Amino acid sequence: FNGGIPIYTNLHSHRNGTYSGDVSGGITVIAGEITKKKFGRQEVIYPNSWSDISKDWQVYEKYLIEVNREIREMFHLKDMKLPNKIVLVSPNWELNSYLSSDHLLIQHETLLNISSAVKEIPEVFIPALLWNYDQRTLSSYEQIFAFNDILSIYIRDKVKIKSPVSAPTSAEPPYSTQKIVEQFYKQFYDLSEKQQKEFLVLWYKEMSNVSDSWLKTVKLFQGFRERVK
């Protein structure tokens, strides 16, 4: 690499401007107007266009840790601890994340400060923990988006993140199954918190078997409701 702009990568640097190394989960390279801050053992990389995150980082980190713990415990995930390097970016209006062997890459919607991003943590963190390394063959991603929406609201309520976002009442299935799915949402939110958690875990486990049809998911849900009566 030749140039005077700041660069972050999870590869080892050499004196001649080259980078190399072995990493698990892929290579990250970010160059441009970035700032690096140290908070204890953690190093945070974020855009220069954001205001200084020092004041709000403690609150953001608190919820990031709590969301990570809740999702890991809920789905019995191992080796998904928060790394010591966190990279925050906002290149477009997409919410996403990626967990590598030595850093967590978080993509928030375009924003100028980190305090406004706290409410997005559950939604943005779910892909890194549940889907980045999922090797299952899925027929459709429609239900994954619906699952992520419901799970993010469940986690947000669980860790007490205040947000104006309300529980969804429907997804966008084909018209022929729209009423069935709307009924599914209504009945899901009639469950107790414990039952909601249990069904979300079951739905995630069975996603490769039901992702091609909402009718299969509704059947799975009805069987679950019968068992917990």
Side-chain angles (χ1 to χ4, degrees):
F1 174 79
N2 293 315
I5 62 175
I7 184 171
Y8 167 78
T9 179
N10 57 338
L11 298 174
H12 296 294
S13 62
H14 304 285
R15 290 183 179 179
N16 60 357
T18 63
Y19 295 82
S20 65
D22 296 323
V23 294
S24 172
I27 298 171
T28 297
V29 179
I30 297 175
E33 300 298 318
I34 58 175
T35 297
K36 298 180 181 180
K37 289 267 188 181
K38 290 284 288 186
F39 300 97
R41 293 184 300 174
Q42 280 190 333
E43 181 179 33
V44 183
I45 298 92
Y46 65 97
N48 278 357
S49 59
W50 293 14
S51 58
D52 189 346
I53 68 172
S54 301
K55 179 182 177 182
D56 298 317
W57 176 253
Q58 188 175 3
V59 174
Y60 184 93
E61 181 187 33
K62 169 182 177 292
Y63 285 113
L64 190 64
I65 292 171
E66 290 184 7
V67 169
N68 180 59
R69 185 188 67 249
E70 286 290 339
I71 295 176
R72 286 176 61 207
E73 291 179 355
M74 184 173 176
F75 294 93
H76 306 289
L77 304 175
K78 298 179 179 179
D79 302 323
M80 289 291 189
K81 295 181 179 179
L82 283 176
N84 290 332
K85 288 187 179 179
I86 297 177
V87 183
L88 302 168
V89 293
S90 55
N92 52 46
W93 289 97
E94 183 181 359
L95 292 169
N96 210 341
S97 59
Y98 192 83
L99 186 60
S100 184
S101 57
D102 62 348
H103 72 285
L104 172 64
L105 176 67
I106 296 178
Q107 182 175 326
H108 280 292
E109 292 181 341
T110 303
L111 73 170
L112 299 178
N113 61 70
I114 199 171
S115 60
S116 62
V118 169
K119 64 181 181 297
E120 298 173 353
I121 291 175
E123 183 178 0
V124 79
F125 204 6
I126 288 170
L129 294 176
L130 296 184
W131 301 114
N132 284 170
Y133 294 96
D134 195 311
Q135 300 297 316
R136 294 175 294 177
T137 300
L138 301 169
S139 302
S140 171
Y141 289 94
E142 178 185 294
Q143 286 194 48
I144 292 178
F145 296 141
F147 170 88
N148 288 355
D149 284 345
I150 295 174
L151 177 59
S152 64
I153 291 172
Y154 173 87
I155 296 294
R156 191 180 293 124
D157 291 342
K158 190 72 174 176
V159 301
K160 296 179 172 53
I161 295 177
K162 295 181 179 179
S163 172
V165 178
S166 58
T169 57
S170 67
E172 295 184 0
Y175 182 76
S176 60
T177 58
Q178 185 172 356
K179 290 185 178 180
I180 296 174
V181 176
E182 288 176 356
Q183 182 70 9
F184 160 74
Y185 272 78
K186 180 181 182 300
Q187 291 177 341
F188 174 84
Y189 284 107
D190 286 338
L191 297 176
S192 67
E193 179 186 296
K194 179 176 180 292
Q195 291 168 342
Q196 289 181 11
K197 176 181 178 180
E198 290 174 353
F199 179 73
L200 285 168
V201 172
L202 175 63
W203 191 8
Y204 175 73
K205 181 180 178 181
E206 296 294 328
M207 189 63 77
S208 61
N209 298 321
V210 302
S211 63
D212 63 327
S213 170
W214 274 104
L215 293 177
K216 291 181 180 179
T217 300
V218 170
K219 183 177 179 180
L220 179 72
F221 179 63
Q222 296 301 339
F224 172 81
R225 290 182 70 221
E226 288 297 321
R227 293 194 300 275
V228 299
K229 276 185 177 180

